């Protein structure tokens, strides 16, 4: 695996994706314990998972567009929440 | 620096402050009284005798008179400070400061009784019991009462008088903190011969003493009674606040930290004093030399703690 | 603790948004050994997650479950299931004291057998699951001779971050400071001579310590956190609970039914360094990094106050400062001679201080 520094986002942008990241993790872990018996919360969760996933992907698309990040086939971008650095990770 | 020694002549000595003197009669022995007087002389302390309601044995009075002193009594006769309970002024003496100990409920109902007395009494000190029981509605009520009493004081000033009502006029006159001073300027000798920060500490727990007449005074962490070691009060300008050390300990567990309720009451008084001062000045030159009291946007300095860093 | 008490505590925290305005929350489970009660803990964590979500509470986007464990049952399926279900929100520290000899001095089963072997076999799994987690070591007088070998041993086990500190209690004997300094200097030599500083860290060495202090803040976080005991009483930190105190009365600041008595919190939230310190501490030229524990201050104070700072740790702090100075002077000289100081600065490991 190789990691190449390809850019940096602002702290505000970092906070936005970090919150979405945390929320997505939270929803995924909630999905492991929430069953369809709890209809109201279950529905909310399913909807939320979809919306959060979309917002998560939209952030990466918008930032890639804004900062013109380098990409390669089979690679993916990664953010360091401490430094706001963006890396291109390839196998 | 220590300046005063309260001597509780009996366990049932009248309370003149926030604490409750809830003990049965137990007279201080005459030997303890003599030793207490000697201690005060050696330490250069002014004695304030706190009397019970009952008459003392005759020989006590001759011992009491062996040194210059103040008398704190319920009966206004032969007192330097008289204490009124239950708004019963029948034994009060207008020629000496009158301490009015009241519950908030009584104050809210009976405060108008002060109207006639404000102009006659040398000074009135209102002491509200159970300050920590105040809620937001009570604060509003108290604010209204301060305004109403302020109008009385203002009228008295128009008539050329200078009444003293601690909760309204003290702040107008003060340029710095003037608080209870327990543990710093004042200590208390109890009938058991032991010394206490104030009578309240004795009535709460006799073991909570700061020395005795035999071995002398030993105030541990005495810096904590000083203003410079009071984290909230040292930033405060409600100079008239009692800053009651006993209430501090009771409500926050620390002698140097007041409760929210004590702070808010003191600031309602401070703000009412500000308004009173402005109103009095509109009528002429009275109090023109006093320092202005600034407008502030808080009632509890604790809420401004981020500004102190 | 019953689930009902835990539930009430969670409800209180989530209801009282006005008093808990922080962006995130750490739900910290302290035992005994928390993983002995994994079923209860799982139930509590599930309730917290569901309630944060159901109430649309902002903490749902920023929470952690924190555990300090002795690691003995870490491998068990119930624990592993819990870890799998909550992995991205977990912070788990396994406590291991150092070498087998050192660890087994204090950590033994009821039958007297040391627990070292059973803990160590779980370290690889733990490190695989939580590679960034460090371990926490507390030093008392009798531990001093083992410091160097223990830290090196923990590095050998693959633990990269060692959070280590001296206890705040007055346990120190004559000469402890000199022996402590000697251990830290020898450890510094090992770390630097063997290039261990590149991949490992030990919180004894920090460039931030040993300087005069201008900051007037409080070191300890008591009052900034809320601790709840098994009966549902609230404390500013568990060090103020009856079972943590030697002689003083506990400082209870509320309970799960009535909530927090805000007046009892006021002294904690207005504490600063100068108000609670002696003049010699205020003027101390190596004050930086000299820590204190509010609970120990209270426990050791002459009166019932949190405003009297214990100075039991003074000699040990000064010894640490001398060894710390030695560490950085030696390391920087080596890096400069090698011409690698810039690289080191760029890639240096950051250690988050943990104080108690």
């Amino acid at each position: 695996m190789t990691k190449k520094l390809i850019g940096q986002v602002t702290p505000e942008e970092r906070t936005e994706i970090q919150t979405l990241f945390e929320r997505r993790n939270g929803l995924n872990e909630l999905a492991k314990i929430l069953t369809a018996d709890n209809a109201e919360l279950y529905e909310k969760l399913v909807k939320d998972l979809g919306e959060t996933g979309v917002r998560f992907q939209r952030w990466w698309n918008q930032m890639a567009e804004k900062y013109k990040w380098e990409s390669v086939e089979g690679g993916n971008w990664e953010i360091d929440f401490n430094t706001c650095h963006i890396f291109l990770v390839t196998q | 620096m220590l300046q005063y020694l309260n001597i509780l002549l009996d366990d049932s000595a009248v309370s003149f402050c926030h604490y409750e003197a809830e003990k049965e009669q137990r007279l201080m022995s005459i030997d303890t009284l003599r030793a207490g007087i000697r201690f005060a002389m050696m330490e250069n302390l002014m004695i304030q005798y706190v009397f019970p309601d009952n008459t003392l044995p005759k020989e006590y009075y001759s011992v009491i008179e062996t040194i210059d002193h103040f008398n704190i009594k319920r009966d206004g006769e032969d007192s330097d400070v008289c204490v009124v309970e239950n708004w019963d002024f029948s034994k009060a003496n207008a020629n000496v400061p009158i301490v009015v100990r009241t519950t908030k409920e009584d104050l809210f109902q009976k405060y108008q009784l002060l109207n006639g007395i404000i102009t006659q009494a040398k000074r009135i000190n209102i002491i509200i019991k159970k300050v920590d029981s105040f809620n937001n509605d009570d604060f509003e009520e108290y604010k209204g009462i301060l305004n109403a009493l302020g109008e009385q004081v203002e009228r008295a000033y128009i008539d050329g008088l200078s009444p003293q009502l601690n909760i309204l006029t003290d702040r107008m006159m003060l340029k710095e903190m003037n608080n209870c001073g327990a543990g710093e300027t004042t200590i208390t000798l109890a009938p058991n011969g032991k010394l206490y920060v104030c009578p309240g500490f004795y009535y709460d727990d006799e073991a909570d003493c700061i020395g005795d007449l035999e071995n002398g005074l030993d105030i541990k962490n005495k810096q904590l009674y000083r203003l410079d070691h009071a984290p909230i009060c040292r930033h405060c300008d409600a100079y008239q606040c009692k800053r009651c050390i006993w209430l501090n300990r009771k409500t926050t567990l620390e002698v140097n930290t007041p409760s929210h309720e004590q702070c808010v009451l003191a600031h309602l008084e401070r703000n009412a004093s500000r308004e009173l001062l402005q109103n009095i000045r509109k009528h002429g030159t009275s109090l023109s030399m006093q320092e202005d009291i600034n407008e502030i946007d808080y009632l509890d300095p604790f809420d401004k703690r981020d500004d102190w860093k | 603790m019953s689930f009902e008490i835990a539930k009430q505590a969670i409800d209180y925290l989530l209801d009282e948004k006005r008093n808990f305005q922080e962006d995130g929350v750490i739900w910290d489970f302290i035992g005994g050994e928390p993983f002995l009660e994994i079923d209860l803990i799982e139930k509590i964590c599930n309730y917290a997650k569901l309630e944060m979500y159901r109430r649309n509470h902002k903490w749902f986007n920023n929470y952690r479950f924190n555990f300090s464990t002795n690691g003995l049952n870490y491998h068990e399926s119930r624990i592993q299931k819990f870890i799998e279900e909550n992995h991205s929100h977990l912070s788990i520290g396994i406590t291991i004291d150092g070498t087998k000899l050192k660890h087994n001095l204090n950590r033994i089963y009821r039958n007297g057998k040391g627990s070292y072997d059973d803990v160590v076999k779980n370290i690889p799994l733990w490190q695989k699951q939580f590679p960034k987690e460090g371990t926490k070591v507390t030093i008392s007088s009798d531990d001093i001779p083992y410091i160097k070998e223990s830290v090196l041993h923990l590095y050998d086990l693959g633990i990269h971050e060692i959070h280590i500190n001296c206890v705040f209690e007055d346990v120190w004997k004559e000469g402890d400071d000199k022996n402590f300094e000697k251990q830290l200097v020898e450890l510094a030599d090992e770390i630097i001579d063997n290039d261990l500083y590149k991949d490992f860290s030990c919180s004894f060495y920090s460039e931030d310590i040993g300087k005069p202090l201008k900051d007037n803040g409080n070191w300890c976080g008591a009052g900034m956190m809320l601790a709840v005991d098994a009966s549902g009483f609230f404390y500013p930190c568990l060090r103020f609970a009856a079972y943590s105190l030697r002689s003083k009365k506990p400082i209870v600041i509320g309970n799960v039914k009535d909530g927090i008595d805000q007046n009892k919190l006021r002294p904690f939230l207005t504490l600063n360094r100068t108000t609670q310190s002696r003049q010699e501490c205020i003027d101390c030229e190596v004050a930086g990094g000299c820590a204190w524990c509010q609970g120990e201050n209270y426990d050791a104070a002459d009166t019932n106050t949190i405003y009297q700072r214990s100075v039991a740790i003074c000699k040990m702090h000064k010894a640490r400062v001398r060894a710390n100075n030695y560490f950085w002077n030696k390391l920087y000289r080596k890096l400069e001679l090698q011409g690698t100081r810039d690289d080191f600065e760029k890639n240096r490991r950051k250690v988050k201080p943990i104080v108690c």
Side-chain angles (χ1 to χ4, degrees):
Chain A
M1 189 179 78
T2 58
K3 242 170 127 172
K4 181 182 171 191
L5 179 65
I6 55 164
Q8 192 172 19
V9 293
T10 66
E12 292 74 24
E13 289 164 344
R14 178 272 320 270
T15 303
E16 191 185 343
I17 191 64
Q18 190 169 12
T19 304
L20 286 170
F21 174 77
E22 288 283 342
R23 185 165 187 82
R24 195 182 64 168
N25 287 342
L27 292 170
N28 283 333
E29 288 179 353
L30 199 59
K32 292 175 188 168
I33 58 164
L34 197 59
T35 59
D37 305 346
N38 192 339
E40 193 188 340
L41 267 194
Y42 189 78
E43 254 177 55
K44 181 181 170 187
L45 174 69
V46 171
K47 191 168 165 241
D48 213 342
L49 266 169
E51 285 173 3
T52 305
V54 168
R55 285 167 65 200
F56 191 83
Q57 193 53 50
R58 191 188 302 143
W59 185 92
W60 283 105
N61 294 343
Q62 284 175 350
M63 293 303 124
E65 174 78 19
K66 176 180 173 183
Y67 292 109
K68 310 287 180 214
W69 288 331
E70 175 187 340
S71 62
V72 291
E73 193 152 336
N76 62 283
W77 295 311
E78 202 176 274
I79 181 167
D80 181 332
F81 290 134
N82 292 321
T83 60
C84 302
H85 285 148
I86 304 293
F87 298 93
L88 176 62
V89 182
T90 50
Q91 293 302 322
Chain B
M1 192 180 134
L2 284 177
Q3 298 170 49
Y4 302 100
L5 176 67
N6 295 321
I7 296 185
L8 306 179
L9 292 166
D10 192 289
D11 271 355
S12 63
V14 59
S15 169
F16 56 95
C17 204
H18 290 286
Y19 67 93
E20 295 298 334
E22 289 172 333
K23 277 186 190 282
E24 297 295 309
Q25 277 188 16
R26 179 175 66 161
L27 187 64
M28 174 177 275
S29 77
I30 199 149
D31 287 341
T32 301
L33 176 58
R34 284 198 187 97
I37 292 169
R38 185 180 163 81
F39 175 81
M41 292 167 75
M42 308 287 275
E43 298 293 331
N44 228 8
L45 304 177
M46 170 61 82
I47 289 179
Q48 304 182 131
Y49 292 117
V50 191
F51 283 76
D53 286 344
N54 56 298
T55 310
L56 300 174
K58 203 175 166 191
E59 63 270 26
Y60 277 66
Y61 291 100
S62 53
V63 175
I64 282 169
E65 290 303 326
T66 58
I67 190 165
D68 191 16
H69 63 273
F70 292 107
N71 290 337
I72 301 174
K73 294 179 167 183
R74 199 182 314 277
D75 191 341
E77 202 174 308
D78 191 31
S79 70
D80 298 293
V81 173
C82 71
V83 181
V84 165
E85 288 275 359
N86 302 318
W87 293 78
D88 175 6
F89 288 87
S90 59
K91 288 185 175 176
N93 177 357
N95 297 317
V96 299
I98 302 171
V99 172
V100 180
R101 294 186 74 239
T102 176
T103 61
K104 68 181 179 194
E105 292 82 6
D106 277 354
L107 177 68
F108 295 166
Q109 282 175 19
K110 299 178 180 173
Y111 73 94
Q112 285 173 329
L113 288 176
L114 292 171
N115 290 349
I117 303 166
I118 285 173
T119 50
Q120 295 164 25
K122 184 176 178 186
R123 173 178 171 82
I124 295 176
N125 275 2
I126 303 288
I127 300 286
I128 306 173
K129 302 176 191 178
K130 296 185 178 161
V131 162
D132 46 320
S133 71
F134 269 72
N135 59 31
N136 285 341
D137 290 342
D138 297 331
F139 290 142
E140 278 305 308
E141 183 105 28
Y142 189 53
K143 190 177 169 185
I145 287 168
L146 287 167
N147 287 338
L149 291 171
E151 287 173 16
Q152 294 296 319
V153 174
E154 185 184 341
R155 262 183 233 127
Y157 265 90
I158 295 169
D159 293 342
L161 302 169
S162 303
Q164 287 191 39
L165 176 62
N166 65 329
I167 54 178
L168 277 172
T169 60
D170 282 6
R171 178 60 185 84
M172 297 195 302
M173 306 300 171
L174 289 166
K175 291 180 179 171
E176 59 184 19
M177 279 288 183
N178 182 32
N179 316 124
C180 97
E184 187 191 10
T185 60
T186 309
I187 53 171
T188 292
L189 175 64
N192 64 2
K194 291 181 177 169
L195 297 161
Y196 295 85
V197 170
C198 87
F201 285 70
Y202 169 65
Y203 287 108
D204 274 1
D205 179 6
E206 283 196 32
D208 196 6
C209 67
I210 49 169
D212 55 44
L213 293 175
E214 207 168 308
N215 302 299
L217 190 62
D218 180 20
I219 308 181
K220 301 266 198 301
N221 280 320
K222 65 181 179 184
Q223 77 281 0
L224 297 181
Y225 299 97
R226 295 200 317 251
L227 182 63
D228 62 349
H229 273 69
I232 298 174
C233 306
R234 67 182 174 197
H235 298 284
C236 178
D237 75 345
Y239 299 146
Q240 88 297 343
C241 178
K242 291 292 279 185
R243 203 159 81 81
C244 174
I245 300 294
W246 174 76
L247 266 180
N248 288 356
R249 223 268 307 261
K250 180 170 178 269
T251 53
T252 70
L253 308 178
E254 291 289 345
V255 295
N256 65 353
T257 309
S259 66
H260 170 71
E261 293 80 12
Q262 194 174 180
C263 287
V264 173
L265 283 183
H267 280 77
L268 290 171
E269 293 162 5
R270 175 210 180 274
N271 291 347
S273 300
R274 177 177 182 270
E275 200 172 320
L276 176 60
L277 181 62
Q278 288 175 339
N279 290 341
I280 290 171
R281 283 173 173 170
K282 285 177 193 162
H283 300 293
T285 55
S286 292
L287 303 175
S288 58
M289 301 298 282
Q290 301 309 124
E291 276 183 15
D292 289 340
I293 303 172
N294 296 330
E295 188 170 10
I296 51 175
D297 62 355
Y298 57 89
L299 288 174
D300 183 352
F302 176 80
D303 296 337
K304 306 300 276 185
R305 63 191 183 280
D306 289 343
D307 297 349
W308 308 335
K309 286 171 184 161
Chain C
M1 180 181 280
S2 68
F3 175 69
E4 190 50 36
I5 291 287
K7 182 175 171 296
Q8 286 177 37
I10 291 166
D11 287 342
Y12 173 71
L13 282 157
L14 298 181
D15 283 342
E16 287 289 314
K17 286 183 186 168
R18 196 170 60 89
N19 288 327
F20 301 104
Q21 297 185 357
E22 291 73 11
D23 289 335
V25 63
I26 297 173
W27 305 96
D28 197 355
F29 294 84
I30 298 172
E33 168 49 42
F35 284 162
L36 285 175
E37 292 289 345
I38 189 64
D39 294 339
L40 173 65
I41 281 172
E42 183 168 24
K43 200 172 169 188
I44 293 170
C45 291
N46 286 350
Y47 181 76
K49 286 190 289 190
L50 279 168
E51 280 305 299
M52 285 188 291
Y53 186 62
R54 190 180 67 76
R55 295 164 189 246
N56 294 318
H57 198 288
K58 65 177 175 183
W59 288 348
F60 183 76
N61 292 336
N62 194 0
Y63 70 92
R64 290 286 178 278
F65 296 124
N66 204 28
F67 297 89
S68 289
T69 171
N70 62 25
L72 289 175
N73 59 358
Y74 186 83
H75 61 286
E76 287 178 9
S77 57
R78 288 183 312 159
I79 314 295
Q80 286 301 308
K81 177 176 165 278
F82 175 77
I83 290 172
E84 193 270 322
E85 284 177 357
N86 295 283
H87 186 269
S88 69
H89 289 95
L90 287 182
S91 173
I92 299 177
I94 291 185
T95 308
I96 180 162
D97 290 347
T99 60
K100 184 171 181 172
L101 174 71
K102 167 73 181 67
H103 183 92
N104 285 346
L105 280 178
N106 298 315
R107 297 183 183 269
I108 52 174
Y109 291 106
R110 208 173 280 176
N111 65 9
K113 184 191 156 212
S115 65
Y116 175 87
D117 291 336
D118 295 329
V119 180
V120 161
K121 70 182 181 199
N122 282 328
I123 296 291
L125 175 61
W126 169 57
Q127 283 290 296
K128 187 178 157 204
Q129 291 173 328
F130 299 99
K132 289 179 182 166
E133 288 291 344
T135 195
K136 189 173 173 301
V137 181
T138 310
I139 301 295
S140 190
S141 179
D142 293 342
D143 303 317
I144 292 173
Y146 306 101
I147 291 174
K148 181 185 76 171
E149 62 185 42
S150 291
V151 171
L152 295 174
H153 182 71
L154 293 172
Y155 288 168
D156 280 344
L157 291 175
I159 302 170
H160 288 253
E161 282 193 14
I162 316 290
H163 305 284
I164 190 164
N165 66 276
C166 293
V167 298
F168 295 103
E169 286 75 11
D170 190 6
V171 297
W172 307 107
K173 303 187 195 97
E174 191 65 36
D176 275 353
D177 55 332
K178 291 286 167 208
N179 294 331
F180 181 56
E181 179 185 322
K182 186 166 170 277
Q183 282 284 316
L184 295 198
V185 166
E186 288 175 14
L187 178 61
D189 287 338
E190 291 284 344
I191 291 173
I192 295 168
D193 295 347
N194 297 305
D195 292 342
L196 297 174
Y197 59 87
K198 290 178 180 169
D199 294 318
F200 297 91
S201 66
C202 172
S203 63
F204 270 143
Y205 310 111
S206 162
E207 280 184 290
D208 298 331
I209 73 159
K211 298 175 178 68
L213 266 187
K214 289 188 182 113
D215 164 47
N216 194 26
N218 192 23
W219 175 279
C220 175
M224 311 292 281
M225 65 185 108
L226 182 68
V228 55
D229 73 5
S231 306
F233 288 109
F234 289 154
Y235 305 90
C237 160
L238 279 184
R239 186 65 174 80
F240 290 92
Y243 54 78
S244 303
L245 294 163
R246 292 186 298 276
S247 56
K248 294 273 166 64
K249 283 186 199 165
I251 294 189
V252 175
I253 59 166
N255 60 63
V256 290
K257 285 197 176 68
D258 305 320
I260 294 175
D261 176 349
Q262 296 294 335
N263 277 334
K264 302 268 189 318
L265 263 187
R266 286 162 76 91
F268 289 92
L269 300 182
T270 49
L271 263 172
N272 59 36
R273 189 171 66 92
T274 49
T275 316
Q276 63 187 303
S277 301
R278 299 175 184 193
Q279 196 59 43
E280 65 174 290
C281 296
I282 294 170
D283 296 337
C284 178
E285 294 192 346
V286 294
C290 183
W292 60 85
C293 161
Q294 223 64 57
E296 171 56 18
N297 286 359
Y298 171 67
D299 216 358
D302 295 324
T303 60
N304 291 335
T305 184
I306 56 171
Y307 279 83
Q308 184 189 340
R309 185 171 154 194
S310 165
V311 291
I313 209 169
C314 177
K315 280 196 309 184
M316 304 306 285
H317 172 70
K318 286 172 178 164
R320 178 193 173 197
V321 167
R322 290 191 294 272
N324 183 59
N325 291 340
Y326 173 85
F327 178 93
W328 292 105
N329 281 316
K330 175 165 176 159
L331 177 61
Y332 282 145
R333 187 62 184 153
K334 174 176 175 170
L335 295 172
E336 278 156 11
L337 290 173
Q338 287 177 344
T340 55
R341 181 159 175 175
D342 286 347
D343 280 352
F344 174 80
E345 298 286 4
K346 220 181 287 174
N347 301 312
R348 67 192 306 176
R349 294 180 64 83
K350 289 266 185 224
V351 183
K352 195 177 160 208
I354 298 175
V355 289
C356 56

